Amino acid sequence: MNLFYKKRAIRTPLAILSLLGAVGAVLLMLYQFWIGLFFAVIFAMALAMAWKMENESYQETEKYIETLSYRMKKVGEEALLELPIGIILLNDKYLIEWVNPFVSSIFPDETWIGTDLYDMNEGFRQITKEDNEQEVITLNNRSYRVYYKPEEKLLYLFDVTERMKIQSLYYEDRTTIGILLVDNYDELSQTMDDQTRSRMNSLVTSLVNEWAEENGIFVKRISSDRFLAVFNEGTLEKLEKTKFALLDTIRENTAKHTAPLTLSIGVGTGTTSLTALGELAQSSLDLVLGRGGDQVAIKHYDGKLKFYGGKTNPVEKRTRVRARVISHALRDLIQGSDRVFVMGHKMPDMDAVGASIGVRKMARMNNVEGYVVVNFDELDASVNRLMDEVEKDEELFKHMLMPDEALELMTERSLVVIVDTHKPSMVIDERVLEKAQKVVLIDHHRRGEEFINNTVLVYMEPYASSTAELVTELLEYQPKNEKLTMLESTAMLAGIVVDTKSFTLRTGARTFEAASYLRTNGADTVLVQRLLKEDIATYIERSKLIETVEFAGDGDIAIAKEHDGVVHSSVLIAQTADILLTMQGISASFVVAQRADGKVGISARSLGELNVQVVMEDLGGGGHLTNAACQLEIGSVEEAVEMLRNTLDQYVERGNG
């Protein structure tokens, strides 16, 4: 620092000026001695004063710098030791080497030096091991935001307790809106007299008001079966801890006094917009109703969903209202997603493929990209013929993906819709299901023990003829941005035709309405027949299977079996069971044969006298009262037939026959 100032530029001109003055004085003295002498004296005095001032300026500057350096050093020490900022130095083994007084004051009785950092708080592990830049941890009941400098092995701690309290108070005080709906009010109230209905209304209202008063909630009955509740997020957190005990209270108390009523609650939270909260609450309620009621759905503004309740078995309702509610709930889920992926079961049939194409169309109607997940190596002849037609439609075919392609396109915001099955082991690729954050289930089979968990919406109607029928009804309530094409309508109609055996089994008025809607939208019945045609070789195979028929029970149960080593498709096995059921004197039919996947498959059909669903469930399968199947992981068809006969005997002994 001193050398820099001694070499300052001002000294050079002063030296040159001194030299010039001396030369000028000598020359002037040679010309006029006394004048030159006078000039020399005056010049020497001025020059001496300039040098003196320059030197004093240098000394003052040097003194100022030294003082400033001392003050800066002192301020640094003050900041290090006195400011309310924690500083921790670590070694390579994450042992504490040094802390400033602020850190020491957090735990005055603890010895910090030499202590393992993670022994002080496990929260330090996350920030140091995962290289997070900052994290909030709690030490001695106070909150600290920790900043980590990995290169220096240095931690900074800032006390943010007051800020966190204010933030917590802000979030706890945000408004939340809930809509409470008495699920089966209309059905029960229609059969009650005025006095009983009044007593039921009073009971429900008093129970809801007591619950609201206990929890500080404003609640208002806005219709005969609906309440509006306004509370804050702090109260919502308390209600979540109790798992919304109001559901149990309503169910248990109404069962004692009048009739077993259940309650559905939709809650909207996570924003200050009252309009958005109301929409979230209604959307949540729609989801609850779609899942069978007697539940609570909490929908956050960022799209997160939570469910509570659902302890009772929902009563299946095939009503237009339910279809509309489900359709609107599915519309909201589609619109909240970036892509929609539709997947059916392994070895998909016409119903699974047709329903998948229909759901993909729903996504298009909501301006969201939709894809059908298909394994092209697992298609039977009729579905292959459908795929040949789909290939001619470039727009539709490019949205048919193999599972690996779907996995690459999936994101956290993607929606996966499973159709025509509810068993995770039966879907085309379980990896797609596992990666999905949001899953919707649409199925017409009766629910078995194995079930896809963590679904946000379930639409299961065992009384529907097919999944394609359910999807057709849902399509009617979607936005009319696009109309169904001929091929899309035909694919869904083919699914209905296959599952109803050309409208002869499990066919109701709603089935014909769905078929009529598809026909109106251009479904080609001639193309359906062409798709479902079979070749002579298949017919002969089926005939050979029928030749092996044996009888069980009272002679009205037919069991056909194929020889070991002969492989048949699941479709052919099912078709054979259908044909056997049309024979005189047969009330139930079972066809047993080996499948391409190495398992032994059993297809079961009945006219309703024998519940084949129960029989197949005993063997690990499932289905409907008159239509069921199972797959056994055994190597012998004879062994499978023996297991089937034993199960039938047990069924009869239980008195189910």
Side-chain angles (χ1 to χ4, degrees):
M1 185 69 73
N2 293 341
L3 290 175
F4 172 78
Y5 278 99
K6 285 180 179 178
K7 294 179 180 179
R8 285 181 304 171
I10 190 66
R11 290 178 174 268
T12 301
L14 281 176
I16 295 173
L17 187 61
S18 300
L19 181 60
L20 291 175
V23 172
V26 171
L27 293 175
L28 192 57
M29 288 175 67
L30 292 175
Y31 177 72
Q32 283 288 341
F33 178 78
W34 295 107
I35 296 175
L37 182 61
F38 178 76
F39 173 79
V41 172
I42 296 299
F43 182 77
M45 292 173 62
L47 195 61
M49 186 177 296
W51 279 101
K52 181 181 179 183
M53 292 178 64
E54 193 278 336
N55 191 54
E56 288 177 352
S57 173
Y58 162 74
Q59 290 178 352
E60 289 177 2
T61 302
E62 188 178 50
K63 185 177 180 181
Y64 172 76
I65 291 173
E66 289 176 352
T67 305
L68 182 62
S69 178
Y70 169 76
R71 290 173 62 200
M72 288 178 64
K73 185 177 180 181
K74 186 173 180 62
V75 168
E77 292 176 355
E78 291 281 342
L80 195 66
L81 302 175
E82 302 296 335
L83 282 181
I85 299 173
I87 303 174
I88 302 176
L89 282 175
L90 308 172
N91 62 15
D92 293 335
K93 296 181 179 179
Y94 297 97
L95 298 177
I96 299 172
E97 291 188 333
W98 178 84
V99 297
N100 69 341
F102 179 81
V103 175
S104 298
S105 67
I106 298 175
F107 291 107
D109 300 329
E110 294 285 346
T111 301
W112 286 80
I113 310 301
T115 304
D116 190 317
L117 178 68
Y118 308 135
D119 290 342
M120 306 308 296
N121 189 291
E122 192 63 27
F124 285 119
R125 187 183 301 275
Q126 185 176 1
I127 190 170
T128 55
K129 295 294 185 182
E130 299 181 10
D131 290 334
N132 294 331
E133 290 186 359
Q134 56 175 298
E135 193 74 39
V136 175
I137 65 171
T138 301
L139 295 169
N140 202 14
N141 298 322
R142 294 191 69 82
S143 300
Y144 297 90
R145 185 171 296 279
V146 182
Y147 292 86
Y148 179 52
K149 301 292 183 182
E151 294 181 1
E152 295 85 3
K153 288 290 189 294
L154 182 64
L155 291 166
Y156 291 107
L157 281 69
F158 295 86
D159 192 336
V160 293
T161 305
E162 300 305 321
R163 191 196 332 174
M164 296 300 291
K165 286 181 180 178
I166 294 171
Q167 181 177 318
S168 178
L169 287 171
Y170 166 73
Y171 285 117
E172 286 182 3
D173 202 43
R174 284 200 304 187
T175 302
T176 297
I177 291 179
I179 301 175
L180 289 68
L181 180 72
V182 182
D183 292 325
N184 40 353
Y185 178 85
D186 290 337
E187 289 82 356
L188 290 174
S189 62
Q190 287 175 0
T191 60
M192 295 178 179
D193 55 40
D194 292 341
Q195 186 177 1
T196 306
R197 187 185 300 113
S198 176
R199 189 164 57 247
M200 180 183 69
N201 285 333
S202 299
L203 176 61
V204 172
T205 303
S206 63
L207 291 172
V208 172
N209 285 336
E210 287 175 11
W211 168 78
E213 187 175 348
E214 289 174 4
N215 295 282
I217 299 172
F218 170 79
V219 67
K220 181 72 174 177
R221 189 163 194 161
I222 54 178
S223 67
S224 59
D225 61 350
R226 197 174 292 246
F227 296 83
L228 177 67
V230 181
F231 45 103
N232 56 35
E233 291 188 14
T235 302
L236 177 60
E237 187 176 344
K238 295 177 183 176
L239 294 175
E240 288 187 68
K241 290 179 180 177
T242 65
K243 308 295 184 185
F244 284 84
L246 177 65
L247 298 180
D248 298 329
T249 304
I250 292 289
R251 189 188 318 109
E252 293 167 4
N253 282 273
T254 54
K256 293 176 184 176
H257 292 84
T258 52
L261 295 173
T262 58
L263 201 65
S264 292
I265 304 176
V267 179
T269 186
T271 179
T272 56
S273 169
L274 296 179
T275 303
L277 287 174
E279 293 173 353
L280 289 171
Q282 185 59 56
S283 175
S284 300
L285 185 62
D286 291 343
L287 283 173
V288 169
L289 296 176
R291 290 165 62 92
D294 190 30
Q295 298 177 51
V296 179
I298 303 171
K299 194 170 188 179
H300 200 276
Y301 188 67
D302 61 9
K304 293 180 181 178
L305 281 166
K306 292 181 183 178
F307 294 97
Y308 296 93
K311 296 181 179 179
T312 58
N313 292 320
V315 178
E316 299 291 348
K317 299 177 183 178
R318 294 275 347 258
T319 65
R320 285 285 181 183
V321 175
R322 178 168 166 76
R324 176 175 54 80
V325 168
I326 292 291
S327 184
H328 288 175
L330 181 56
R331 177 198 63 195
D332 293 342
L333 288 169
I334 291 174
Q335 292 176 352
S337 307
D338 58 352
R339 295 185 182 95
V340 177
F341 296 88
V342 196
M343 182 167 61
H345 52 75
K346 290 183 175 71
M347 305 295 293
D349 55 11
M350 277 291 191
D351 186 31
V353 176
S356 298
I357 291 174
V359 175
R360 181 256 168 191
K361 187 65 174 184
M362 287 188 208
R364 289 279 297 169
M365 289 177 168
N366 288 278
N367 300 314
V368 176
E369 283 295 317
Y371 300 91
V372 176
V373 181
V374 179
N375 188 340
F376 290 96
D377 300 327
E378 295 183 351
L379 303 180
D380 63 32
S382 60
V383 177
N384 267 320
R385 285 192 286 271
L386 174 61
M387 284 301 166
D388 291 339
E389 297 295 327
V390 170
E391 197 168 349
K392 298 174 186 177
D393 186 335
E394 293 183 6
E395 171 61 25
L396 181 57
F397 187 69
K398 71 180 183 181
H399 289 88
M400 298 281 177
L401 302 178
M402 290 288 283
D404 289 336
E405 296 174 304
L407 286 168
E408 291 178 4
L409 291 176
M410 284 181 66
T411 67
E412 290 184 355
R413 294 186 58 230
S414 297
L415 175 68
V416 171
V417 182
I418 304 298
V419 296
D420 205 32
T421 183
H422 58 267
K423 298 181 178 181
S425 61
M426 289 291 291
V427 299
I428 290 175
D429 197 314
E430 287 189 62
R431 294 176 300 165
V432 176
L433 194 59
E434 291 168 359
K435 188 175 180 180
Q437 300 290 324
K438 296 182 291 184
V439 179
V440 171
L441 177 60
I442 305 174
D443 191 17
H444 73 116
H445 298 100
R446 287 187 181 274
R447 177 168 177 168
E449 290 184 13
E450 186 185 0
F451 195 79
I452 297 172
N453 296 319
N454 302 321
T455 51
V456 295
L457 182 63
V458 175
Y459 188 33
M460 290 186 67
E461 289 289 1
Y463 307 108
S465 70
S466 57
T467 308
E469 177 188 329
L470 295 176
V471 172
T472 301
E473 290 185 346
L474 297 178
L475 275 165
E476 296 183 45
Y477 299 102
Q478 293 295 315
K480 301 297 187 266
N481 296 330
E482 283 194 21
K483 293 186 67 176
L484 283 168
T485 65
M486 181 278 293
L487 185 56
E488 291 166 340
S489 300
T490 302
M492 285 189 284
L493 182 60
I496 295 175
V497 170
V498 167
D499 270 29
T500 59
K501 304 299 178 286
S502 299
F503 300 97
T504 59
L505 295 176
R506 298 189 311 277
T507 304
R510 300 283 289 279
T511 309
F512 288 108
E513 289 175 9
S516 175
Y517 176 79
L518 294 173
R519 187 72 182 89
T520 303
N521 280 272
D524 189 342
T525 54
V526 176
L527 178 57
V528 170
Q529 289 183 348
R530 193 163 72 245
L531 293 175
L532 300 181
K533 276 188 177 182
E534 59 184 9
D535 53 31
I536 294 178
T538 303
Y539 185 86
I540 294 173
E541 279 186 61
R542 199 166 55 231
S543 299
K544 289 180 179 179
L545 255 178
I546 294 174
E547 285 180 359
T548 67
V549 70
E550 300 174 356
F551 293 95
D554 294 330
D556 59 346
I557 299 176
I559 301 176
K561 61 181 180 179
E562 186 55 272
H563 300 294
D564 286 332
V566 181
V567 175
H568 289 301
S569 69
S570 57
V571 174
L572 186 138
I573 298 172
Q575 289 174 342
T576 305
D578 289 329
I579 290 177
L580 279 173
L581 194 63
T582 64
M583 303 296 178
Q584 183 71 33
I586 295 178
S587 62
S589 62
F590 297 87
V591 179
V592 187
Q594 287 186 328
R595 293 157 41 105
D597 57 8
K599 298 178 182 179
V600 175
I602 303 178
S603 279
R605 301 291 185 270
S606 83
L607 296 175
E609 297 175 8
L610 186 148
N611 190 337
V612 292
Q613 177 198 355
V614 175
V615 176
M616 291 296 98
E617 283 179 344
D618 288 344
L619 291 171
H624 293 279
L625 171 73
T626 60
N627 183 340
C630 73
Q631 295 84 42
L632 303 175
E633 294 188 8
I634 56 178
S636 168
V637 172
E638 287 293 340
E639 187 180 349
V641 172
E642 187 64 28
M643 292 174 62
L644 174 61
R645 287 183 177 275
N646 291 336
T647 304
L648 287 170
D649 291 341
Q650 293 171 9
Y651 177 86
V652 174
E653 288 176 7
R654 293 197 303 262
N656 298 104

